[in-house]
Amino acid sequence: DASITITGAVLTSSTPPTGGSLSLNINKNGSNVASISLSANNYRSSNSSLNISLLSTDYITVDVTASNNAADAVLSFTYTRN
């Protein structure tokens, strides 16, 4: 069975949040496994210390928990094949 490990994430936004953070929860099979946030007035945030193992039957979802006027956000993952 093929598997990968998500090792990092980068969150960018063409319109940065104001007055608070843009915050996301990363979920594996419906359970929260990590989070990432973009501070007010910033365009980019990264997390290079993730260790999320995935099999071909697993799935990832992302919940926005706070937006604070951020727009056009993109979340990208880096991974390794196991």
Side-chain angles (χ1 to χ4, degrees):
D1 202 12
S3 65
I4 64 169
T5 299
I6 295 174
T7 57
V10 176
L11 176 59
T12 58
S13 181
S14 63
T15 303
T18 56
S21 297
L22 167 61
S23 300
L24 308 178
N25 282 341
I26 301 166
N27 307 304
K28 174 183 171 182
N29 300 330
S31 297
N32 181 261
V33 292
S35 60
I36 188 168
S37 61
L38 183 61
S39 300
N41 303 313
N42 287 296
Y43 292 89
R44 184 180 188 280
S45 177
S46 63
N47 181 338
S48 60
S49 62
L50 297 178
N51 185 21
I52 304 168
S53 297
L54 298 172
L55 298 174
S56 61
T57 55
D58 293 325
Y59 65 95
I60 292 288
T61 58
V62 177
D63 297 326
V64 177
T65 57
S67 66
N68 289 298
N69 301 312
D72 299 320
V74 175
L75 178 63
S76 303
F77 293 108
T78 55
Y79 66 92
T80 57
R81 292 181 185 211
N82 302 326

